Amino acid sequence: MAETGNPGNGATSEAGPLVVLEGVQKHFGSLHVLRDINLNIDRGEVVVVIGPSGGGKSTLCRAINRLETIDEGRILFDGRPLPEEGRALARLRSDVGMVFQSFNLFAHKTIMENVTLGPIKVRGVAREDAEKRALELLDRVGIASQAQKYPAQLSGGQQQRAAIARALAMNPKMILFDEPTSALDPEMVQEVLDVMIELAQEGMTMMVVTHEMGFARRAANRVVFMADGQIVEENTPDEFFTNARTDRAKDFLSKILTH
Ligand SMILES: Nc1ncnc2c1ncn2[C@@H]1O[C@H](COP(=O)(O)OP(=O)(O)O)[C@@H](O)[C@H]1O
Ligand SMILES: [Mg+2]
């Protein structure tokens, strides 16, 4: 999985943060959705992004793998500016896995096909090898026995675990999770969080938009509180949840803590 650390021509810079955002600004028409975002994510770091709906969390995730362009500032991934298009952009997309809230599996493909599609089509892996690796990954997320089923035949929790296996199949350098458990029935939340906690412990670089405090406390190195397009506060999970500094964060926490 690790690349050889050749600091020469065009090689990835193994030193320095994996993601750097500097002065990032983004508007949707008159709506200013990212306001001067400055954020670094180190290799192996797990950053939880939390904050009220509409605050720009999803836009931030989407900007990092360039599903959204930005108006000002810059974003570096692995030491380089995000590619604009072409093969370099395709490579970025496969280096940055993404797991969304709504199950984003292809409905008309089996779980096995979902997990092997990227490696075969984008990475050029032989089908047999891709299937072998897919089974290992499905086993790791606890759903190897579901490989030949279609997404609709799986529970929501199983589908999200399949989505994580699919992201991992591309050997990403990082995975972005955008509210991966918020569409799940409550009894299925933990099985997905457990897989994510394991990934975090194995050293995967992760940015996770979630309000799951248990996850944040167990797995996150840092909590970033975002509201109205700004990073309002950043701290360790323990400090943030017990000792938020800003009124905005205190107000938000009092709301999520009361249910
Ligand atoms: N494609 C878009 N076009 C116009 N407005 C958008 C678009 N995507 C998001 N927005 C708006 O940008 C703001 C931030 O959205 P989002 O990043 O989804 O916030 P969050 O994930 O924190 O709920 C919201 O007001 C949302 O309605
Ligand atoms: Mg969102």
Side-chain angles (χ1 to χ4, degrees):
M1 192 147 132
E3 301 213 19
T4 43
N6 177 0
N9 254 345
T12 54
S13 56
E14 292 275 328
L18 184 60
V19 182
V20 176
L21 292 101
E22 287 174 358
V24 171
Q25 307 274 358
K26 169 78 180 174
H27 298 77
F28 286 118
S30 61
L31 195 63
H32 198 171
V33 284
L34 297 179
R35 299 170 183 248
D36 191 25
I37 299 293
N38 295 285
L39 179 69
N40 288 357
I41 301 175
D42 285 330
R43 291 159 206 277
E45 195 180 19
V46 177
V47 174
V48 159
V49 180
I50 189 169
S53 180
K57 305 180 299 296
S58 294
T59 306
L60 179 68
C61 285
R62 292 168 57 81
I64 292 176
N65 68 357
R66 218 170 181 284
L67 290 169
E68 296 286 357
T69 56
I70 58 173
D71 302 332
E72 272 177 63
R74 54 177 206 155
I75 303 179
L76 306 180
F77 184 81
D78 212 0
R80 297 188 202 133
L82 295 191
E84 306 257 312
E85 56 190 7
R87 293 178 72 90
L89 181 57
R91 184 166 345 106
L92 171 79
R93 296 263 166 79
S94 52
D95 280 346
V96 183
M98 189 141 183
V99 177
F100 302 90
Q101 170 178 344
S102 50
F103 320 121
N104 47 324
L105 299 168
F106 294 111
H108 58 287
K109 292 187 188 298
T110 63
I111 298 304
M112 174 58 82
E113 288 166 344
N114 266 281
V115 177
T116 55
L117 189 70
I120 292 171
K121 294 262 189 256
V122 179
R123 298 273 203 222
V125 176
R127 175 173 305 275
E128 199 183 328
D129 296 338
E131 289 184 350
K132 187 161 167 273
R133 168 113 168 101
L135 265 186
E136 286 167 13
L137 291 170
L138 290 171
D139 186 46
R140 186 164 152 197
V141 301
I143 55 168
S145 61
Q146 314 294 319
Q148 297 312 322
K149 293 191 180 164
Y150 288 87
Q153 296 174 287
L154 270 59
S155 72
Q158 290 173 326
Q159 288 185 49
Q160 278 308 60
R161 287 185 279 147
I164 294 171
R166 185 173 68 172
L168 288 172
M170 297 297 276
N171 289 333
K173 292 181 175 154
M174 172 183 194
I175 303 185
L176 303 168
F177 293 87
D178 192 358
E179 304 206 31
T181 60
S182 56
L184 294 177
D185 292 333
E187 74 271 22
M188 290 167 190
V189 168
Q190 198 55 48
E191 68 191 42
V192 174
L193 294 178
D194 285 343
V195 170
M196 293 167 59
I197 290 168
E198 228 178 272
L199 278 182
Q201 287 166 347
E202 287 163 11
M204 177 60 75
T205 307
M206 296 162 61
M207 185 164 106
V208 184
V209 179
T210 184
H211 295 169
E212 294 290 339
M213 274 185 286
F215 172 81
R217 283 182 185 271
R218 275 195 65 189
N221 301 103
R222 199 156 35 121
V223 172
V224 168
F225 176 70
M226 213 179 156
D228 304 323
Q230 283 177 304
I231 293 177
V232 177
E233 179 162 350
E234 277 184 66
N235 219 324
T236 60
D238 278 345
E239 270 301 301
F240 180 75
F241 291 118
T242 54
N243 247 331
R245 292 185 296 248
T246 60
D247 288 342
R248 195 83 173 78
K250 284 180 197 162
D251 179 56
F252 175 77
L253 285 172
S254 74
K255 283 176 185 143
I256 64 166
L257 288 172
T258 53
H259 57 237

